[in-house]
Amino acid sequence: MKILIKNGTIINFDSTQKANVLIENGKIAQICKTEPKADKVIDTKGKLIFPGLIDIHVHFRDPGLTYKEDIITGSKAAVAGGVTTCCAMANTKPINDSTMITKYMIDKANSLGLIDLLPVGAVSSDFKGEQITNMGNLKQAGCAYFSDDGLPVVSSDVMRAALEYSAFHGSFISSHSQDCSLSPCGHMNEGKVSMKLGINGMPREQEEIMISRDMLLAKLTGGHIHIAHISSAYSLKLVQMAKNQGINITCEVTPHHFTLSEDDIGQYDTNYKMSPPLRTKDDVKAMQEGLKSGLIDMIATDHAPHSNDDKFTEFDKAPFGIIGLQTLVPLTLNLVNKKIITLNDMARLCSKNPANLLNLTDKGEIKVGFKADIAIIDPNLEYIYDAKLNKSKSQNSPFFGKKLKGLNVLTIKNGKIVYQYN
């Protein structure tokens, strides 16, 4: 089946052009000014044609915690948000530290056919932080990289071994950077707001200490350390220092950390509780500047579903995390509208750089010969993000019920339409 996308504006990391896109046999066959014959024509006048977004950090809770989310509903939320490739974290039940779990995740996603799901293998067996997993077998089974996300790797010796072995297998380690021994009972950023609310705080130094350790271990081993959900302005200074010294380090930031601050928590709303926590307004500004300068390599949602029963409790008892796949586009476009980043930057941060990190050589651009993974975005559409739009099993988002601007309206995966708004 041939599909022609016409009258739209193609956004790549390095170019913007008004042109038509012809899709054939699951790939981009032509980028042209003409209108070649097609079985289906999609008019995208006034809309943006993005390469399918790639989210390297999601939690689909499958297997084992499927009352919160599963691979089916997670995939549906992804394509509704314009995301065509997801890396699903290993903190499932059981932990994804075996090829059996890895293959189960891939097979279930493939049977649905909405996204490419790339599982993330555990760094340590059963997340105990004592012994690294068989990374070679996990990589061969389809794991994209390795992380104990949700927990830090406490032992420096284990992290050293993980960096060495992952590098040997052509992969990398993503670090949940948190020194839990420093204020182990914290629930939000430590500062004036936590004192005012009477909530135990989590100092930014938890993150900064662990980033310092891991960048030094990357220096020692030559391995690649990726810093997940970075949140502190000083953390960015550490990353800059490491990059300046040639250490193999990359980092990501979530939309909530470049949009919200601790001041937004207000009346103990647990939908604002996440780890790392929302920091100060100065930290938010630093995240935005890091995106603008290119210091931050990519945007990832850390999509973390929890049921209403999980979240509807006291702030200090509620789990960390919020959903984010369907708010990725509007929150990132908000930075574009504020002229903090450009549309080309958005394509670089959400498509091109993640594709490069994962060695996906036929994704991340609208380019002839590449996979036809495409997100059609209406940058001007205003709407309420509500239960009707939400495709996740969970509703734990501080943006639920809020007016947003900018929406993914159609998603194509491997040349097939897998989502269409209205």
Side-chain angles (χ1 to χ4, degrees), residues 9-222:
T9 302
I10 298 171
I11 307 294
N12 277 317
F13 76 102
D14 60 351
S15 65
T16 300
Q17 62 172 318
K18 287 189 175 293
N20 302 327
V21 179
L22 181 67
I23 297 169
E24 186 176 2
N25 297 324
K27 294 187 176 182
I28 298 171
Q30 291 184 46
I31 298 173
C32 53
K33 299 292 186 180
T34 59
E35 293 190 21
K37 290 183 179 180
D39 302 293
K40 184 176 181 62
V41 178
I42 302 170
D43 193 336
T44 57
K45 185 176 181 180
K47 298 179 179 64
L48 308 173
I49 305 170
F50 265 81
L53 309 183
I54 300 172
D55 193 339
I56 73 160
H57 189 156
V58 303
H59 300 266
F60 280 171
R61 312 300 191 197
D62 189 354
L65 299 166
T66 53
Y67 72 96
K68 302 183 182 195
E69 191 81 286
D70 58 43
I71 288 170
I72 295 172
T73 56
S75 297
K76 289 179 178 179
V79 294
V83 178
T84 54
T85 302
C86 289
C87 296
M89 285 294 166
N91 59 340
T92 49
K93 192 175 182 181
I95 299 293
N96 183 23
D97 58 5
S98 72
T99 58
M100 180 180 68
I101 301 299
T102 299
K103 290 177 180 177
Y104 160 81
M105 295 168 73
I106 293 172
D107 289 346
K108 188 168 182 178
N110 286 346
S111 68
L112 185 63
L114 294 182
I115 65 169
D116 287 330
L117 188 144
L118 308 177
V120 177
V123 170
S124 65
S125 297
D126 203 31
F127 272 24
K128 291 182 178 179
E130 298 171 355
Q131 183 177 355
I132 64 170
T133 56
N134 191 324
M135 293 182 177
N137 285 354
L138 288 169
K139 184 75 161 55
Q140 190 172 19
C143 283
Y145 63 91
F146 302 93
S147 180
D148 279 1
D149 186 71
L151 293 171
V153 177
V154 175
S155 167
S156 296
D157 189 48
V158 172
M159 180 58 94
R160 174 182 180 171
L163 283 164
E164 290 173 340
Y165 276 84
S166 62
F168 179 79
H169 293 292
S171 190
F172 63 94
I173 303 297
S174 175
S175 173
H176 180 103
S177 302
Q178 183 180 10
D179 182 349
C180 294
S181 66
L182 183 64
S183 188
C185 298
H187 302 281
M188 65 171 293
N189 185 56
E190 182 178 297
K192 293 180 180 179
V193 178
S194 66
M195 291 178 62
K196 179 181 177 181
L197 295 177
I199 298 173
N200 289 335
M202 302 166 70
R204 67 190 65 247
E205 284 77 12
Q206 280 188 322
E207 177 174 292
E208 295 156 4
I209 288 169
M210 199 59 82
I211 290 175
S212 300
R213 184 204 70 172
D214 288 345
M215 64 186 253
L216 290 172
L217 289 175
K219 174 175 173 287
L220 173 66
T221 63

Side-chain angles (χ1 to χ4, degrees), residues 20 29 85 103 111 115 122 137 141 192 204 233 276 292 295-296 305 310 318 336 341-342 345 360 387 391 401 406 421:
N20 302 327
T85 302
K103 290 177 180 177
S111 68
I115 65 169
N137 285 354
K192 293 180 180 179
R204 67 190 65 247
K292 183 177 182 178
L295 175 58
I296 297 175
D310 291 331
V336 175
I341 64 172
T342 65
D345 289 331
L360 305 175
K391 303 302 180 184
Y421 172 68

Side-chain angles (χ1 to χ4, degrees), residues 264-273 311 313 315 397-398 402:
D264 293 303
I265 293 174
Q267 299 300 311
Y268 305 95
D269 185 344
T270 60
N271 286 322
Y272 290 85
K273 182 178 180 180
K311 280 288 194 177
T313 186
F315 199 91
S397 169
K402 303 287 177 61

Side-chain angles (χ1 to χ4, degrees), residues 306-328:
H306 293 291
S307 71
N308 289 341
D309 289 342
D310 291 331
K311 280 288 194 177
F312 190 63
T313 186
E314 293 94 334
F315 199 91
D316 61 350
K317 294 179 181 178
F320 295 102
I322 69 170
I323 57 174
L325 281 163
Q326 289 180 250
T327 51
L328 169 61

